[in-house]
Amino acid sequence: MVMRISGLATGMDIDDIVSKLMKTERVPLDKLAQKKQLLEWQRDSYRDVNKKVKELQDSIYSMLRPSTYGAKKVTSSDESAVTATATTSSASSTIKINRLATAATYKSADISGYTGSDQTLTFNVTAPGESTAKAVNITVASTDTLDNIVSKINTSGLGVTAIKDKIFNGTEYVETIAFTSKTTGAGGSIQAGDAATANFMTSQLGFALDADNKMVASQTGQNAEVVINGLQMEKTSNNFTVNNVTYSLKNTTSTAVSIDVSTDVDGVYNKIKEFVTKYNDLVDTVTGKLQEKKHRDFQPLTAEQKESMKEKEIELWEEKAKSGLLRNDSILSSGTNKMRTDFYSNVSVNGESLQLTQFGINTSKLYNQRGHLEIDEEKLKAKIQEDPEKVASLFTAGTSTSNYDDKGILWRLQSSLTDTKKLIEEKAGNTLMPNTQSSIGKNIRHVESDMSSLQNRLTKIENRYYTKFTAMEKAIQKMNERSAYLSQLLGQ
């Protein structure tokens, strides 16, 4: 390390002089730093495009689902009695509700004298509509209060909701427990699994058991009884599915209720519109970058330049410096051209040629919005209402491996986006890729290497300047010492 002596003998500001000398020497380093910054901005701009590419691809996965185009709207003529939902293959129906499904309830006698015991209660529980029982164990302790017992029952697999309450028996208020089955329907049962459990349920909790040690319900569960399209049937729940229509029963009816199933035109239209909006967002972003003006007089600012500028000035300057980094870029131009071709090439379906404009989707007539799509809402909704399957074919016909003409727009677009994304990653990489796997990343590494070499060289030059000035200081210091000595002799 060079020993630096700054102006002790000459009174000169050596640090300032060296700094000014090095300012000229650092010009090549500043240019390399600017080059690196431009490469990083260009890389980030490419990656911003790829983010929108991925967003559109995610939207395509959703749009490829058949349910997107077969969405159904269901209307009930009496929603206070029944509502319904439908799938793509559902049809209209009528339903008359003779009886709602109910849950079984079990009520105990007076349990004010409960004492408790240490034991494991065992039960065999059969759900309504099922024939196989499941075993349920509940461990109780002599120290458990009735509230503890209720809590343990509610968190077990017994399939009931238990509550403790006080009721008036005509002369006084007494404590009781009530169980309500969590599932509706007939045929369910709760059976004590052994004599000890049966004894606990009767003598301690006051429930009645039959000869098979099954709890006797104070109100048995019932199945819903309905007539759908003239066919009478029973269901254990008030929510059930028949012929792809899911019914939710609310009240009984004296006459049949109409359940009208039709194409959800607005739902399908909104999904297509949302997809087109995402596509336009990508196209508009890319078109903007391709047409962006390049300001060659605005280069990235050096650290020294930023020190003399306000934050807003730096922001405005860098906005100009970043502009046009992807102007007329071949990857983006090729990608947008392919996407336009994907949309406007005819789709062949069963010998019929489908074209986007037939469905009310057209390209903008404005030149600076090339590729931007516009929707004729009335025309597209009419097509969805008229033939939703044909609308689906336009977008989803074929598969990813079909011939180009037989592929729907989405399959074509997905392929083009994948190719474009790959080319962008080869050029600019992504956050998970090392720099050495992209061309811009390699250029940045080369610039960084050149900067490191140049910085080492500048350090040597700076040290050389200080060495020279230090030698000068020492020489002048010796001359000053000799002059002082001579002056002292002459004075004597």
Side-chain angles (χ1 to χ4, degrees), residues 4-7 12-21 462 466 469:
R4 299 176 178 180
I5 302 174
S6 297
M12 298 168 62
D13 188 346
I14 303 301
D15 287 335
D16 183 59
I17 293 171
V18 173
S19 177
K20 290 177 179 177
L21 289 170
E462 186 178 47
Y466 273 108
F469 279 109

Side-chain angles (χ1 to χ4, degrees), residues 433-481:
M433 293 169 59
N435 281 339
T436 53
Q437 290 187 9
S438 67
S439 58
I440 291 179
K442 291 176 182 177
N443 287 339
I444 290 174
R445 288 288 298 271
H446 290 152
V447 172
E448 287 174 339
S449 177
D450 291 343
M451 289 176 68
S452 178
S453 299
L454 184 53
Q455 183 60 60
N456 291 335
R457 184 159 111 20
L458 291 174
T459 299
K460 292 178 182 178
I461 292 173
E462 186 178 47
N463 287 339
R464 191 160 64 246
Y465 278 133
Y466 273 108
T467 298
K468 290 180 179 180
F469 279 109
T470 299
M472 181 186 73
E473 286 286 335
K474 288 180 178 180
I476 292 175
Q477 178 64 28
K478 287 182 180 180
M479 289 175 63
N480 289 341
E481 289 172 356

Side-chain angles (χ1 to χ4, degrees), residues 9 13-14 25 69 88 106 139 183 244 361 370 396 412 428 453 457 483:
D13 188 346
I14 303 301
E25 299 284 356
Y69 312 92
T88 56
Y106 308 85
T139 302
T183 55
N244 299 310
I361 304 177
R370 51 185 180 180
T396 66
R412 298 170 177 177
S453 299
R457 184 159 111 20
S483 177

Side-chain angles (χ1 to χ4, degrees), residues 279 337-349 352-359 361 373 393-395 397 403-410 412-413 416:
Y279 169 78
N337 288 336
K338 286 178 69 177
M339 287 191 292
R340 284 197 292 272
T341 300
D342 293 338
F343 267 100
Y344 286 102
S345 296
N346 292 350
V347 179
S348 179
V349 179
E352 183 179 2
S353 185
L354 305 180
Q355 218 281 331
L356 192 70
T357 56
Q358 297 171 353
F359 296 82
I361 304 177
L373 298 177
S393 295
L394 174 70
F395 289 99
N403 294 328
Y404 188 86
D405 290 345
D406 299 328
K407 281 184 182 179
I409 289 172
L410 295 176
R412 298 170 177 177
L413 193 60
S416 296

